[in-house]
Amino acid sequence: MAGYEIRTSNSKKGKGLFATKKYDQGAVILEEDPLVSCQFAWNAAYRYLACDYCMRPLETPEQNVRRLACKPDIVLPHSNCFETNLESITTCNQCAVLYCSEMCRDRAYATYHRLLCYDTSDAQHPITVLLEAWKQMHYPPETTNIMLLVRILAYIEQSSNPSQAAAKIKQFCHRTVNEDAELVHKLLGEQFADQLNTLRDLTSNLISGEHVQEFLTPEGFCSLMALIGTNGQGIGTSPLAMWVNAVLEITMSDDERQQIDLFIDKLYQYVEEESGTFLNTEGSGLFQLQSACNHSCAPNAESSFPYGNHRIQLKALKPILPGDEICISYLDDCALQRSRHSRQKELAQNYLFVCWCERCSSQSSQPDCTSEEEMSEDDADD
């Protein structure tokens, strides 16, 4: 029996995820696969090989770090502590897209790929044209991918009950503006009007059908763009990170531990010098349960991807009692440590709300700008 339920939180937040039983710190609250997920366009362009369905990386930790550091002679110790099964890699019979297993290939075909299978070498194919247009509009770091929107449309059209599938998508928050606070999502500002029209036209060339027509009108397309912008959960997978985590679990002497820690630090230094922060296979997905979690700047739960694919796990950061709302942070750790002003600015641009969590309320008397970094940010905006 599930230890949580989705119900109304308050008039401002709408729905939320609430505990129906006690969770100790570190307890797993839920695990969930997304309705659809998608690797970022630039991530794929930079040769981050991943399963086209579940985003599992298709390289070993050693291959991963050699590529990221551009050092083909790197040898990872304790390579047997982390098993990478690449023997089950397969492809779509028609378009040669890569999958980590036949199961993922079959699931992709049944969910959306039947409508989206195409010759990836065809520069004039509508998917190729759409992806190239998207990449020219959205340079790294990306926060979503137009193909997540396209896969949603294909998911509806391919469903055995398209009306029910469309209704399921509409259950996600898909408002384009927050009228109370006069906020507009950063993907939908006036400066992007021409881009949105171009993307809508290119998407309409790619997929159509009576069940998705409402999403291809100007208003419908904006709402779907807002949906992936506000609900798309970032997914990051890394063979190197999973190897590091496995090595940290090995029992070894203090001297060995010190040596391996220094070696790992050096690896990340090499990677940063060559690839910067472009470290993981990255993308985004649409999760039904996890998306019901509201934000807090002092969250009691956090999401992670412990299986190296798109399956998400929600864990308690502190004890959670029955009736407590389960909240995560929509901000990364770095942004979460910044001032209330900085946090509010990012949440408004990406999620269309002004945060009044307990932490923000207690800091309401803080000045609007509290650091040189943020002041320089504002100067750059002027």
Side-chain angles (χ1 to χ4, degrees), residues 1-22:
M1 182 178 171
Y4 51 82
E5 64 180 2
I6 298 174
R7 58 181 169 84
T8 300
S9 176
N10 61 44
S11 59
K12 291 289 185 185
K13 288 184 180 180
K15 293 180 180 178
L17 192 69
F18 288 81
T20 58
K21 71 175 188 180
K22 181 183 177 183

Side-chain angles (χ1 to χ4, degrees), residues 92-251:
C92 169
N93 296 329
Q94 277 76 44
C95 67
V97 164
L98 292 169
Y99 296 100
C100 68
S101 64
E102 290 185 3
M103 180 184 293
C104 278
R105 181 192 64 194
D106 294 345
R107 285 177 175 174
Y109 193 81
T111 307
Y112 55 79
H113 189 69
R114 178 170 55 82
L115 285 177
L116 301 179
C117 186
Y118 76 108
D119 179 359
T120 54
S121 66
D122 180 2
Q124 300 305 314
H125 190 278
I127 290 182
T128 305
V129 174
L130 175 62
L131 273 172
E132 287 307 310
W134 173 261
K135 282 159 58 181
Q136 295 311 307
M137 297 174 187
H138 297 271
Y139 289 94
E142 295 167 272
T143 55
T144 190
N145 182 355
I146 190 66
M147 286 307 295
L148 185 64
L149 182 152
V150 170
R151 286 184 179 182
I152 290 171
L153 296 176
Y155 159 79
I156 294 170
E157 277 294 314
Q158 277 195 212
S159 172
S160 58
N161 188 333
S163 297
Q164 190 177 70
K168 187 181 290 188
I169 294 300
K170 284 189 236 179
Q171 287 177 357
F172 289 89
C173 173
H174 56 279
R175 62 185 178 186
T176 57
V177 296
N178 181 319
E179 294 86 353
D180 292 342
E182 297 182 350
L183 301 173
V184 179
H185 194 276
K186 69 177 185 180
L187 292 176
L188 304 174
E190 289 181 10
Q191 68 271 36
F192 300 125
D194 289 342
Q195 291 185 359
L196 284 168
N197 286 332
T198 298
L199 292 173
R200 185 173 69 87
D201 288 344
L202 294 175
T203 301
S204 299
N205 291 339
L206 167 60
I207 191 166
S208 61
E210 61 176 305
H211 304 291
V212 297
Q213 282 310 304
E214 63 178 306
F215 297 106
L216 295 173
T217 65
E219 297 78 12
F221 191 80
C222 279
S223 72
L224 204 53
M225 187 68 78
L227 186 151
I228 65 170
T230 55
N231 294 277
Q233 164 68 46
I235 300 170
T237 59
S238 166
L240 174 57
M242 296 195 78
W243 172 83
V244 168
N245 290 336
V247 167
L248 294 179
E249 296 296 320
I250 298 175
T251 301

Side-chain angles (χ1 to χ4, degrees), residues 250-268:
I250 298 175
T251 301
M252 58 181 73
S253 69
D254 290 345
D255 283 346
E256 285 178 303
R257 175 62 63 199
Q258 186 176 15
Q259 289 301 312
I260 198 71
D261 286 347
L262 289 171
F263 178 76
I264 290 171
D265 287 345
K266 200 68 176 175
L267 283 183
Y268 278 111

